[in-house]
Amino acid sequence: MSTSLQAEVNPIALPNTMGLPCVASAVTVFRDRAQLPQLQDSFDRHGMPLVLAGASNVILPERMDRPVVLMRNTGMEVLEPRADAWLIDVAAGHNWHQWVCESLARGWPGLENLALIPGSVGAAPIQNIGAYGLELAQRVAGVEIWDFETGQSRWLQTPDCRFGYRDSVFKQAAGGHWLVLNVRFALPKDWQPVLGYPDLAPLRQRWQTRAASVSAQMVFDHVVAVRQAKLPDPTVEPNVGSFFKNPVVSSELYERLKQTHPHLVAYRQIDGQFKLAAGWLIDQCGFKGKRFGAVAVHDRQALVLVNTGGARMADVLRAANAIAQAVADRFGVHLQMEPVCVS
Ligand code: EPU
């Protein structure tokens, strides 16, 4: 890992995948843990910094007066494997998709369903990234954090991360003073493809009829193709992926909605509740492709909002509120924002 230390103290524009203008007054580029005492000193004087890496899941304000830390520590350390899994520590600033590619190339399958998700390794546990039937929580053995309140680092075991659907302890009050430094992955030696998601049906059929003919690379290629067909590339059309979480509702509400909307898309949860497809709800309200000034609902995936040029945080929130209100009026379902709205 690099040992260079770089601090910039001047107004600096923060790049973010939503393409929102945001100027910060103090930005530290974190490359190495030798910088931790300096960050701790800044915390003691100015409080908790805003921590960013890929800035692919944040809605940023126009001015950021808090100190900002840009995670740019990269690299991995291969540990002694467990009987059932390869164990690898990966630095928080490592690009997520690059790590997925590296893991497959090194012969460690298990992350292929999570291909092409924008962002960094360190951000992945924060929102417990999930796609195509797999959540990060299923592949994590621990997370190393720096705790600004104690001025020390420590490893959290997986249960301590309190992973939930797009949720974790890192998003909750307990994690409010932590910096994710490294993520420990446990990638299964006895790999089985995860093919339950509807979009993976072609591979599932192949797997069921001709066992062992589906490789991790095939799942990776399929997921990449589906994502490229459905989701806008943030480097071309600035966005933060899904803008709302898929709402989880009671079985009573689900049954009522199903009677009036027979085509409702919903997935039964193990606790008996139902997760509704927010994209379907928004689509039904007629929002696909609709513009709200410089913000548009994507025309292939209604769950994604796109900055068509010049949008600011307020524009994004206005569009989001209008959409959430329409869904609440029509279905009685409350949509929650998925990206972190920074204040
Ligand atoms: N749908 C519509 N209209 C739309 C969009 C979706 O009818 O405009 C319907 C689809 O036909 C489908 C259902 O809604 O039946 C679900 O759509 P999709 O498979 O595209 O997934 P999603 O629920 O919209 C979630 C994640 C994505 C993840 C995909 C695949 C959330 C908030 N989003 O989207 O994650 O890639 O599943 O697993 O859980 C992200 O978090 O940024 C993200 C992109």
Side-chain angles (χ1 to χ4, degrees):
M1 292 184 201
S2 160
T3 53
S4 72
L5 183 150
Q6 180 189 348
E8 299 175 33
V9 183
N10 50 16
I12 184 169
L14 293 179
N16 57 97
T17 68
M18 194 71 203
L20 300 175
C22 176
V23 172
S25 48
V27 178
T28 301
V29 180
F30 181 85
R31 297 187 194 279
D32 192 272
R33 47 201 306 147
Q35 288 167 265
L36 288 169
Q38 174 205 335
L39 289 187
Q40 182 64 44
D41 184 52
S42 168
F43 171 83
D44 294 339
R45 286 183 294 125
H46 307 293
M48 189 62 191
L50 170 66
V51 181
L52 295 176
S56 58
N57 204 44
V58 283
I59 302 301
L60 294 177
E62 287 171 52
R63 269 177 59 107
M64 179 42 60
D65 294 323
R66 273 192 286 153
V68 176
V69 178
L70 284 183
M71 299 303 284
R72 293 289 180 266
N73 55 331
T74 59
M76 71 175 83
E77 189 180 341
V78 183
L79 308 178
E80 199 57 42
R82 279 194 330 222
D84 64 330
W86 310 106
L87 290 184
I88 309 100
D89 288 352
V90 186
H94 211 92
N95 175 271
W96 173 262
H97 182 67
Q98 192 184 326
W99 156 235
V100 173
C101 296
E102 284 162 354
S103 65
L104 288 179
R106 299 278 293 258
W108 306 317
L111 298 174
E112 53 286 340
N113 296 55
L114 304 178
L116 217 60
I117 296 181
S120 65
V121 166
I126 296 176
Q127 63 148 346
N128 185 20
I129 57 170
Y132 303 100
L134 187 76
E135 279 190 351
L136 181 89
Q138 294 162 259
R139 299 290 187 244
V140 164
V143 176
E144 190 192 19
I145 53 139
W146 178 261
D147 184 343
F148 283 111
E149 282 195 327
T150 61
Q152 286 178 334
S153 64
R154 70 173 191 276
W155 278 92
L156 301 184
Q157 303 305 308
T158 314
D160 303 328
C161 297
R162 294 190 226 146
F163 287 123
Y165 167 58
R166 294 294 191 276
D167 196 20
S168 71
V169 70
F170 310 103
K171 276 180 131 179
Q172 298 157 10
H177 296 104
W178 298 346
L179 177 72
V180 173
L181 293 173
N182 282 292
V183 179
R184 179 162 298 162
F185 291 87
L187 301 179
K189 287 184 177 174
D190 181 20
W191 175 82
Q192 300 282 321
V194 177
L195 300 173
Y197 201 79
D199 282 332
L200 300 179
L203 288 180
R204 187 165 62 250
Q205 277 156 16
R206 199 184 155 102
W207 175 251
Q208 283 163 349
T209 50
R210 291 193 280 138
S213 66
V214 172
S215 67
Q217 188 62 44
M218 286 164 68
V219 179
F220 173 95
D221 292 341
H222 192 84
V223 166
V224 167
V226 171
R227 287 190 75 98
Q228 283 174 339
K230 275 194 174 181
L231 293 166
D233 177 350
T235 62
V236 181
E237 294 176 274
N239 72 86
V240 287
S242 299
F243 200 89
F244 298 101
K245 292 189 196 183
N246 284 331
V248 178
V249 302
S250 66
S251 57
E252 291 78 20
L253 179 52
Y254 164 76
E255 295 297 347
R256 237 177 327 155
L257 286 172
K258 190 78 184 162
Q259 278 177 5
T260 42
H261 303 89
H263 300 296
L264 181 73
V265 181
Y267 314 93
R268 194 172 205 283
Q269 305 296 289
I270 35 177
D271 61 3
Q273 299 196 93
F274 285 81
K275 190 189 272 180
L276 307 182
W280 186 89
L281 300 173
I282 297 167
D283 200 354
Q284 291 299 304
C285 293
F287 282 125
K288 215 182 228 173
K290 187 169 164 45
R291 291 186 70 131
F292 298 84
V295 177
V297 178
H298 192 249
D299 53 10
R300 288 194 303 271
Q301 177 29 305
L303 199 46
V304 177
L305 299 187
V306 174
N307 178 354
T308 58
R312 291 160 193 275
M313 179 193 230
D315 304 313
V316 176
L317 297 183
R318 236 189 329 268
N321 286 337
I323 293 165
Q325 189 60 56
V327 168
D329 291 347
R330 174 137 183 212
F331 297 102
V333 173
H334 175 67
L335 292 183
Q336 257 187 312
M337 254 177 81
E338 198 269 338
V340 175
C341 191
V342 176
S343 52

